[in-house]
C-alpha cells in the first residue's frame, strides 16, 4: 500500500510543471453487481454539465471494457494525471438518490455489512429503476423560428394539417397523437423534420398517471391533557430544528395516533413532509383511512402495489407532490425533498427488520436518517422494545407517557386460566377451557364480539405414530409437518413442502397415526361446533392469501356480521373494534420457550397487544389468557398491563449476559447441502473470528458454531455463530478481518445478520 502511494506521488507532476495536468472531473462509481469496491472514472467533457451523484451511468468494466450500469456516488475535480477510464453515458436524467440518501445508504452498507450497490438497489424500488408504467416515445414540436421559413415553402395538404395542429400547441406532443390528429402515418412528420420544420425528441411519459387523492374530510379531535403534553414535547423538538428522539409509551387506545396526526399538521405548516412507518399497512386498512381522512394528500406505500404504482408514488414524493407518506419498512427511504418528521408506530414490531440482504431494521435506519437530516424521530408503542426503553433510561431518548386510555376508559381486566389445572381435572376436552367457554357465552349473549388468538396455523401441528414414535418431518427442513384439513395435506410451514396426510405410519405401517397439537384450523372447527349459532371467521396466512381478503374479513367483523374472529398474531395488531368485549388467548406459551433471548419479551408483547383489542368501546372488555405458566414474569406483567415492571425484571437478565440493549450482536449463519462441509466451514469462520478478536484485543464472546435452532431448512444444513460484545464497530471489524480472504467451499453460503431479530 505504502509503495503504491509513493509511486503515485512521483507520477504527479511537480506544482511548477502542471501545464499538462488538466483539471479533470472524476466520478466515483459503485456497481450493483460484480466488484464491491468503488471505482473512479473520468467524466468526459460532453457529460460534464449533466452528470450528478445519484444517477445511474454506463461505464466500461474489466479487461473487456464491457459496458455495465453503475451508480455515481461522488463527483470531484482532480488535478491528478492518473489515467482513468471514461464514463460512457448517463442512464437517468434525474438523480435517483439525493446526497443525503446516498450517505444513508453508505451508512447502511457499513452498519449491516452489505455491499453498497446492493443497498442502493434495495432502497430505490425496482419499478423506479425500470421506469415501470412509463413509455418512451417521440415528441413533436414546432419551434418559433420555423414560422419564418414556412412562408417560402410549399407543403402538401397532410403536412399543412400537421403544421396547423402543432401551431396551436405550445408543449411538445407525442408523435402518435399528432399523426392521429392529421389523419396520417408518422412518415410525413419525419419528412417535416428532415426539412427542418418540426423538431423531434425522445422522451419518457407516464402511460398511467396517478389518480387524484381525495380531500381531507375530518377535523382534528380535542386532545386530552396527556396527549397535549405529548404533542408539546414533539412540538418543542420540531421548534428546536435539531434532531432528537421521543419515545411515546402509550397504552393501547391511549390516543397515540391522534398525537402523531397533530404533530404532522405542524410539520406541514412549514412546508415540510412527514413519513409515518407502520408494521404492516396492508393488515391495517384503518390506519390508511385515518390518515387519508385527515390529510387527503397522502401517499401510501405497501408491498401489494405494482411496480408502476410504486414508481409513480416515488416520483410524486420526490417532486414534493405529497406531504404525508404512510408505509411499511421501506417507506423509510421515501425521497421526500424536505423531510420534517419521522414517526414509527409500534416500534417494537419485528416486521421493521428485513430478513434478506440488506438486513436492516427500519427503526435504526429511521434514527440515522433523522439524525442526518436534523429532524425529530417519534417512536410509539404500548410495549416498547427494551432497546428503545433503555435509551430513555440513559437519557438518549426523551420519554413521554400516555398511561390512560382516551375518555378514561378502563384497560380490560385480564385473567389467567391455568391450563395445568384444566388438564389435571380433565375439565375440558379441546382447546377452549370451561372458563373461556363461559366467558364467550356471556359475551356473545350480551351482543358483544369475541377475538381468539392462537399463534399457530393449520389443524394439527404434530403428526406422530403412537406405535413406533415416528414424527412426520419435512425432508428438506428439520421441522415437523402440520396437518391442514383443506386438501388433507401435511405441510411444512417453512418451505411449503406438501404430502397427502398419511392414514398409516410411513415407517411401521401402524394404522392409528395420531394428529395432535392445536392449530387455528382445529380451533375454528371447535368454535363452530361449540358456538354454532354465531358466525366465526379465521384470519391467518392460509385464509388471507387473496388480495383484498383482509379488508373483506375486517369489514365483515366491523359490521357485526361475524361475531367470533379466530386468528394468528395477524389479529393482535392495531385493530380497533369497540364492540369486542372478550379476547381469549388460547395458548400464551407458544413463544415462551423458543431458543431466543427475546422469548419473554415477545410473549409479553403479544399478550399485551391482543389484550388491547378489547374494551375500546363503552361496554368495556375482558381478556382470558390460557397458559401453563401463569407465574412467568412476562405473563404476570402482561396481566397487569405493567410494562415497567416487566422491563425492570428483564433488563438485568439482558445485562448479565450482555444481550442487547447492553451489548451488540452479530449472528452468522453458514448453510450448505452437505452437513460436514458446512460444519467444517463454520468451524473455520469461528476460529478466525476468535483470532481476529484476540489480535485486536476486543472483549467479545463468540458462541458456537452450533447447529441453528432450525438445523435444516430447504435442504440446507445450518450452523450459527453468535458474536456478542459492547463495541459493535469492533465486532464488525472482526467479521471483516475473519472473512475477507475466506472463500466458502462450493454450495456453502454464509450471511452476517447485524442486530439480529430472528434467532431461529
Ligand atoms: P392508540 O394509537 O394509542 O392505540 P388511537 O389514537 O387509535 O390510540 O385512539 C383510540 C381511539 O380513541 C380512536 O378511535 C381515536 O379516534 C380516539 N381518540 C383518540 N384521541 C381522542 C381524543 N382526544 N378525543 C376523542 N377521541 C379520541
Ligand atoms: Zn420444509
Amino acid at each position: 500500500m505504502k509503495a503504491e502511494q509513493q509511486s503515485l506521488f512521483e507520477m504527479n507532476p511537480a506544482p511548477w510543471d502542471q501545464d499538462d495536468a488538466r483539471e479533470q472531473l472524476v466520478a466515483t462509481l459503485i456497481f450493483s453487481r460484480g466488484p464491491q469496491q468503488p471505482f473512479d472514472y473520468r467524466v468526459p467533457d460532453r457529460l460534464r454539465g449533466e452528470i450528478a451523484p445519484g444517477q445511474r451511468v454506463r461505464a466500461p468494466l474489466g479487461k473487456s471494457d464491457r459496458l455495465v450500469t453503475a451508480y455515481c456516488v461522488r463527483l470531484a475535480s482532480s488535478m491528478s494525471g492518473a489515467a482513468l477510464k471514461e464514463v460512457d453515458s448517463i442512464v437517468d436524467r434525474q438523480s435517483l438518490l439525493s446526497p443525503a440518501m446516498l450517505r444513508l445508504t453508505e451508512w447502511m452498507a457499513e452498519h449491516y455489512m452489505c455491499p453498497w450497490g446492493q443497498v442502493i438497489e434495495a432502497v430505490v424500488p425496482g419499478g423506479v429503476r425500470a421506469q415501470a408504467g412509463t413509455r418512451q416515445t417521440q415528441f413533436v414540436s414546432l419551434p418559433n423560428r420555423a414560422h419564418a421559413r414556412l412562408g417560402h415553402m410549399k407543403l402538401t395538404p397532410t403536412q399543412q394539417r400537421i403544421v396547423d395542429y402543432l401551431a396551436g400547441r405550445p408543449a411538445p406532443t407525442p408523435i402518435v397523437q399528432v399523426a392521429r390528429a392529421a389523419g396520417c402515418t408518422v412518415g410525413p412528420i419525419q419528412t417535416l423534420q428532415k426539412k427542418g420544420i418540426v423538431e423531434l425528441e425522445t422522451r419518457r411519459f407516464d402511460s398511467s398517471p396517478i389518480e387524484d387523492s381525495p380531500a381531507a374530510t375530518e377535523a382534528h379531535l380535542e386532545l386530552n391533557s396527556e396527549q397535549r403534553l405529548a404533542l408539546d414535547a414533539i412540538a418543542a423538538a420540531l421548534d428546536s430544528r435539531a434532531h432528537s428522539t421521543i419515545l411515546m409509551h402509550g397504552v393501547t387506545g391511549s390516543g397515540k395516533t391522534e398525537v402523531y396526526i397533530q404533530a404532522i399538521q405542524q410539520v406541514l405548516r412549514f412546508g415540510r413532509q412527514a413519513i409515518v412507518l407502520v408494521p404492516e399497512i396492508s393488515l391495517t386498512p384503518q390506519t390508511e383511512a385515518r390518515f387519508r381522512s385527515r390529510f387527503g394528500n397522502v401517499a401510501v406505500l405497501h408491498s401489494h402495489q405494482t411496480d408502476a404504482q410504486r414508481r409513480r408514488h416515488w416520483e410524486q414524493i420526490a417532486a414534493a407532490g405529497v406531504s404525508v407518506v404512510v408505509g411499511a419498512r421501506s417507506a423509510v427511504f421515501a425521497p421526500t425533498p424536505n423531510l420534517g418528521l419521522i414517526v414509527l408506530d409500534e416500534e417494537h414490531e419485528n416486521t421493521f427488520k428485513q430478513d434478506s440482504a440488506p438486513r436492516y431494521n427500519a427503526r435504526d435506519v429511521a434514527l440515522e436518517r433523522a439524525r442526518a437530516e436534523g429532524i425529530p424521530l417519534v417512536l410509539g408503542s404500548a410495549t416498547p422494545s427494551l432497546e428503545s426503553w433503555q435509551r430513555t433510561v440513559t437519557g438518549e431518548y426523551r420519554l413521554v407517557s400516555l398511561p390512560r386510555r382516551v375518555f378514561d376508559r378502563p384497560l380490560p381486566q385480564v385473567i389467567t386460566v391455568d391450563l395445568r389445572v384444566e388438564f389435571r381435572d380433565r375439565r375440558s376436552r379441546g382447546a377452549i377451557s370451561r372458563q373461556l367457554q363461559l366467558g364467550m357465552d356471556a359475551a356473545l349473549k350480551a351482543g358483544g364480539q369475541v377475538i381468539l388468538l392462537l399463534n399457530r396455523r393449520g389443524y394439527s401441528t404434530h403428526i406422530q405414530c403412537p406405535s413406533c414414535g415416528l414424527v412426520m418431518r419435512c425432508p428438506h427442513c428439520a421441522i415437523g409437518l402440520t396437518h391442514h384439513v383443506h386438501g388433507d395435506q401435511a405441510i411444512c410451514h417453512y418451505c411449503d413442502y406438501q404430502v397427502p396426510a398419511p392414514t398409516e405410519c410411513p415407517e411401521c405401517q401402524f394404522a392409528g397415526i395420531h394428529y395432535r397439537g392445536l392449530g387455528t384450523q382445529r380451533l375454528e372447527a371447535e368454535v363452530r361446533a361449540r358456538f354454532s349459532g354465531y358466525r366465526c371467521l379465521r384470519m391467518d396466512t392460509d385464509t388471507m392469501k387473496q388480495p383484498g381478503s383482509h379488508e373483506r374479513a375486517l369489514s365483515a367483523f366491523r359490521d357485526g356480521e361475524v361475531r367470533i374472529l379466530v386468528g394468528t398474531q395477524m389479529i393482535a395488531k392495531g385493530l380497533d373494534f369497540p364492540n369486542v368485549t372478550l379476547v381469549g388467548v388460547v395458548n400464551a406459551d407458544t413463544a415462551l420457550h423458543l431458543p431466543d433471548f427475546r422469548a419473554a419479551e415477545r410473549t409479553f408483547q403479544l399478550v399485551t397487544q391482543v389484550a388491547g383489542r378489547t374494551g375500546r368501546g363503552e361496554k368495556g372488555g375482558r381478556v382470558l389468557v390460557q397458559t401453563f405458566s401463569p407465574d412467568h414474569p412476562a405473563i404476570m406483567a402482561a396481566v397487569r398491563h405493567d410494562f415497567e415492571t416487566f422491563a425492570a425484571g428483564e433488563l438485568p437478565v439482558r445485562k448479565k449476559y450482555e444481550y442487547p440493549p447492553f451489548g451488540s450482536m452479530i449472528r452468522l449463519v453458514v448453510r450448505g447441502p452437505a452437513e460436514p462441509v458446512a460444519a467444517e466451514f463454520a468451524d473455520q469462520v469461528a476460529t478466525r473470528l476468535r483470532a481476529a478478536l484476540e489480535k485486536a484485543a476486543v472483549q467479545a464472546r463468540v458462541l458456537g458454531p452450533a447447529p441453528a435452532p432450525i438445523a435444516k431448512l430447504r435442504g440446507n444444513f445450518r450452523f450459527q455463530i453468535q458474536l456478542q460484545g459492547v463495541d459493535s464497530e469492533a465486532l464488525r471489524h472482526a467479521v471483516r478481518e475473519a472473512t475477507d480472504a475466506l472463500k466458502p467451499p462450493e454450495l456453502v453460503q454464509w450471511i452476517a445478520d447485524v442486530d439480529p431479530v430472528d434467532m431461529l
Side-chain angles (χ1 to χ4, degrees):
M1 202 62 201
K2 269 236 173 71
E4 205 175 81
Q5 279 183 3
Q6 194 75 36
S7 71
L8 265 180
F9 181 69
E10 279 167 7
M11 273 164 57
N12 281 342
W16 57 84
D17 191 23
Q18 264 183 0
D19 284 349
D20 305 347
R22 232 165 50 74
E23 189 219 5
Q24 57 178 354
L25 189 60
V26 174
T28 306
L29 305 188
I30 290 285
F31 293 89
S32 54
R33 255 151 259 124
Q36 298 187 1
Q37 73 274 27
F39 283 95
D40 283 349
Y41 281 76
R42 206 174 73 78
V43 178
D45 289 342
R46 65 190 158 85
L47 299 181
R48 266 190 178 236
E50 287 175 54
I51 195 166
Q55 283 170 333
R56 280 173 301 178
V57 299
R58 308 263 295 159
L61 183 68
K63 283 208 185 72
S64 64
D65 278 342
R66 187 169 51 97
L67 286 183
V68 178
T69 303
Y71 291 86
C72 170
V73 295
R74 213 171 284 134
L75 280 181
S77 49
S78 159
M79 292 303 289
S80 143
L84 295 173
K85 288 187 188 179
E86 261 186 20
V87 174
D88 175 76
S89 54
I90 295 173
V91 176
D92 306 297
R93 278 168 159 248
Q94 281 177 345
S95 290
L96 301 176
L97 293 146
S98 67
M101 291 306 285
L102 274 174
R103 282 195 298 277
L104 188 69
T105 55
E106 190 176 15
W107 175 84
M108 286 173 68
E110 172 72 20
H111 186 89
Y112 295 107
M113 308 188 69
C114 182
W116 195 359
Q118 207 178 339
V119 174
I120 293 177
E121 301 247 292
V123 164
V124 182
V128 173
R129 283 182 272 128
Q131 295 182 286
T134 67
R135 277 212 312 269
Q136 210 162 5
T137 191
Q138 286 193 304
F139 280 71
V140 194
S141 56
L142 187 69
N144 284 334
R145 59 188 149 70
H147 291 285
R149 304 178 61 187
L150 277 170
H152 31 89
M153 210 178 257
K154 202 167 151 24
L155 297 178
T156 67
T158 306
Q159 289 172 341
Q160 191 61 50
R161 280 201 302 277
I162 294 168
V163 169
D164 290 346
Y165 180 70
L166 288 173
R169 306 183 65 84
T173 311
I175 193 166
V176 282
Q177 189 178 328
V178 178
R180 209 183 303 123
C184 62
T185 63
V186 298
I189 304 172
Q190 287 161 340
T191 310
L192 281 176
Q193 182 211 13
K194 285 191 201 104
K195 292 187 171 192
I197 306 286
V198 303
E199 285 180 353
L200 287 182
E201 63 175 318
T202 304
R203 276 204 202 173
R204 266 193 187 274
F205 77 108
D206 208 325
S207 50
S208 46
I210 208 155
E211 60 289 346
D212 276 338
S213 289
T217 50
E218 276 171 35
H220 291 313
L221 301 173
E222 189 73 38
L223 297 185
N224 63 32
S225 57
E226 275 137 2
Q227 284 175 312
R228 181 137 289 291
L229 283 176
L231 182 61
D232 287 347
I234 302 172
L238 289 169
D239 284 345
S240 77
R241 305 206 153 242
H243 163 70
S244 60
T245 301
I246 292 172
L247 176 65
M248 189 149 79
H249 173 215
V251 297
T252 53
S254 57
K256 295 184 287 296
T257 311
E258 193 59 36
V259 177
Y260 306 149
I261 287 173
Q262 301 203 15
I264 292 167
Q265 187 86 58
Q266 306 207 358
V267 172
L268 304 195
R269 245 178 253 141
F270 291 99
R272 296 185 151 207
Q273 300 95 37
I275 297 177
V276 182
L277 301 169
V278 293
E280 276 160 277
I281 186 81
S282 54
L283 295 189
T284 49
Q286 284 176 318
T287 310
E288 177 178 342
R290 236 167 127 181
F291 280 92
R292 279 204 193 287
S293 73
R294 292 308 183 73
F295 296 110
N297 195 10
V298 175
V300 175
L301 307 174
H302 56 73
S303 54
H304 296 317
Q305 279 161 336
T306 64
D307 276 355
Q309 285 171 322
R310 228 169 274 142
R311 195 265 316 152
R312 256 178 279 144
H313 282 302
W314 179 273
E315 284 175 3
Q316 199 193 15
I317 294 166
V322 280
S323 325
V324 183
V325 180
V326 181
R329 191 167 64 217
S330 63
V332 73
F333 306 122
T336 47
N338 197 7
L339 189 60
L341 176 70
I342 305 178
V343 172
L344 195 134
D345 192 29
E346 309 289 3
E347 66 91 32
H348 63 280
E349 280 284 350
N350 295 345
T351 48
F352 287 119
K353 171 89 175 176
Q354 174 152 299
D355 59 9
S356 58
R359 296 181 164 73
Y360 70 93
N361 190 326
R363 186 179 65 210
D364 301 321
V365 175
L367 177 63
E368 192 56 32
R369 185 166 180 189
R371 256 187 207 147
E373 305 210 14
I375 57 167
L377 166 67
V378 174
L379 305 173
S381 176
T383 53
S385 64
L386 291 176
E387 282 85 348
S388 297
W389 183 254
Q390 177 60 19
R391 288 183 178 176
T392 68
V393 175
T394 60
E396 265 175 275
Y397 293 176
R398 162 130 196 235
L399 174 68
V400 296
S401 300
L402 300 177
R404 295 180 301 133
R405 283 187 157 182
V406 290
F407 302 130
D408 248 334
R409 285 194 186 117
L411 281 163
Q413 185 192 18
V414 184
I415 300 157
T416 48
V417 177
D418 191 337
L419 288 176
R420 293 169 304 186
V421 175
E422 196 75 16
F423 183 72
R424 198 187 315 130
D425 301 350
R426 299 195 165 277
R427 283 200 191 159
S428 155
R429 302 200 310 156
I432 298 176
S433 66
R434 206 168 61 188
Q435 230 173 314
L436 183 53
Q437 162 95 35
L438 293 175
M440 288 175 70
D441 271 333
L444 293 166
K445 287 217 177 82
Q449 289 173 295
V450 175
I451 288 179
L452 291 184
L453 171 84
L454 177 66
N455 222 358
R456 278 201 196 121
R457 60 200 175 88
Y459 195 84
S460 305
T461 53
H462 194 72
I463 309 175
Q464 188 170 30
C465 170
S467 175
C468 73
L470 172 98
V471 174
M472 289 276 293
R473 283 182 198 285
C474 173
H476 313 293
C477 310
I479 294 293
L481 296 180
T482 296
H483 183 217
H484 285 239
V485 177
H486 183 75
D488 202 19
Q489 298 280 307
I491 300 178
C492 169
H493 279 185
Y494 283 86
C495 72
D496 221 27
Y497 166 84
Q498 309 197 358
V499 279
T503 47
E504 59 181 40
C505 174
E507 191 70 24
C508 74
Q509 279 75 48
F510 178 76
I513 202 157
H514 277 178
Y515 287 85
R516 288 235 173 85
L518 177 67
T520 43
Q521 272 190 1
R522 173 178 286 192
L523 178 63
E524 180 193 13
E526 189 179 330
V527 170
R528 284 182 197 275
R530 287 181 191 236
F531 302 92
S532 51
Y534 302 99
R535 244 191 93 188
C536 164
L537 190 84
R538 172 163 60 94
M539 272 184 86
D540 54 27
T541 45
D542 295 319
T543 59
M544 297 291 126
K545 278 184 182 146
Q546 313 260 325
S549 46
H550 288 101
E551 286 85 343
R552 278 196 297 280
L554 293 176
S555 83
F557 193 58
R558 179 187 311 284
D559 296 346
E561 212 179 299
V562 168
R563 300 289 298 281
I564 308 169
L565 189 64
V566 171
T568 52
Q569 59 181 352
M570 192 181 276
I571 61 173
K573 295 173 187 170
L575 304 178
D576 184 3
F577 296 113
N579 197 36
V580 173
T581 54
L582 180 71
V583 164
V585 179
V586 175
N587 185 346
D589 310 344
T590 45
L592 201 52
H593 306 296
L594 291 176
D596 177 347
F597 72 94
R598 292 192 184 92
E601 187 179 10
R602 294 269 154 76
T603 301
F604 174 79
Q605 288 166 351
L606 188 64
V607 173
T608 309
Q609 292 286 347
V610 73
R613 302 305 122 223
T614 182
R616 289 179 160 248
E618 267 123 48
K619 293 184 188 172
R622 275 206 313 156
V623 184
L624 290 172
V625 177
Q626 303 193 130
T627 172
F628 285 99
S629 353
D631 305 326
H632 191 284
I635 305 237
M636 281 173 45
V639 164
R640 292 199 217 99
H641 310 281
D642 189 353
F643 173 78
E644 292 189 25
T645 303
F646 170 72
E650 183 70 8
L651 281 170
V653 181
R654 298 282 179 90
K655 187 163 180 96
K656 182 169 165 202
Y657 298 101
E658 281 187 356
Y659 280 131
F662 298 100
S664 289
M665 190 185 282
I666 299 177
R667 181 175 185 241
L668 304 181
V669 179
V670 173
R671 62 165 194 257
E675 192 170 9
V677 182
E680 150 73 27
F681 182 69
D683 261 334
Q684 208 183 335
V685 172
T687 307
R688 294 175 65 123
L689 265 177
R690 288 194 174 93
L693 289 167
E694 196 164 325
K695 189 171 136 215
V698 174
Q699 285 288 321
R701 287 206 293 170
V702 181
L703 307 180
I710 295 173
K712 191 182 175 196
L713 191 62
R714 296 182 183 97
N716 282 306
F717 292 90
R718 303 168 79 236
F719 294 87
Q720 64 175 3
I721 301 162
Q722 212 164 286
L723 196 59
Q724 279 170 246
V726 188
D727 182 350
S728 85
E729 192 40 59
L731 299 187
R732 269 191 285 276
H733 185 75
V735 173
R736 279 192 207 101
E737 270 290 293
T739 56
D740 256 356
L742 193 62
K743 208 173 152 336
E746 213 184 331
L747 300 179
V748 172
Q749 290 171 310
W750 69 276
I751 59 127
D753 189 357
V754 178
D755 310 330
V757 160
D758 181 358
M759 304 303 294
L760 303 179

